[in-house]
Amino acid sequence: ASGMLTGGRILHHLKAFGGDPNNTILLAGFQAPGTRGYTITSGSRELKIHGQYHSIKANVLQIDALSAHADQKGLLHWLSPLKTHPAKKIFLTHGEPSASDALRLRIKDQMNIECQIPHLGDCVEFDDF
């Protein structure tokens, strides 16, 4: 299911079971602003799903320690033992802006690999690599 409640079968589960106070919605990991997951962890008890608003009476809990994504430490750990760096430049394309920028700086400073955070619409010529 979508971890931030943005799409897929979880929307049908929310509609079917979210209105029952005997149920619990357990969210694993970070919930990005603008997602349904963020909305209900911030206290809202109403979600728009498939064009209609649905009351959320279920208990909402969040476990921050679970995630399918590596954190900054995990990514640096993965990169560090490589004898040959995977590229001349690394592009960070996933994550919150402040966390991405902090990782970009650490990759540049600690590993001496150029690192860039592209913006929507940016074009990159790979012939230069």
Side-chain angles (χ1 to χ4, degrees):
S2 172
M4 294 189 204
L5 313 179
T6 56
R9 69 181 183 265
I10 192 62
L11 300 180
H12 299 281
H13 296 317
L14 288 169
K15 286 170 35 175
F17 305 110
D20 186 342
N22 293 314
N23 292 329
T24 296
I25 299 168
L26 181 60
L27 299 167
F30 176 75
Q31 301 300 308
T35 65
R36 289 182 187 92
Y38 181 86
T39 299
I40 63 172
T41 58
S42 297
S44 177
R45 291 296 168 239
E46 187 174 66
L47 291 177
K48 188 175 184 180
I49 304 169
H50 300 135
Q52 295 182 337
Y53 286 92
H54 296 269
S55 177
I56 302 297
K57 295 179 182 171
N59 187 28
V60 177
L61 299 174
Q62 182 178 11
I63 300 175
D64 288 320
L66 299 177
S67 177
H69 297 82
D71 61 6
Q72 184 182 99
K73 182 179 176 183
L75 290 169
L76 291 169
H77 178 75
W78 176 79
L79 278 171
S80 64
L82 298 175
K83 302 234 184 288
T84 304
H85 291 299
K88 294 179 183 178
K89 183 184 270 191
I90 293 175
F91 294 89
L92 300 178
T93 61
H94 184 75
E96 293 299 297
S98 61
S100 293
D101 195 50
L103 178 58
R104 177 188 66 80
L105 291 171
R106 289 193 69 187
I107 290 170
K108 181 179 179 244
D109 294 345
Q110 293 179 12
M111 308 185 110
N112 199 30
I113 302 172
E114 189 178 347
C115 191
Q116 182 178 339
I117 303 169
H119 296 93
L120 183 63
D122 283 357
C123 291
V124 176
E125 294 288 332
F126 285 97
D127 296 344
D128 296 339
F129 294 93

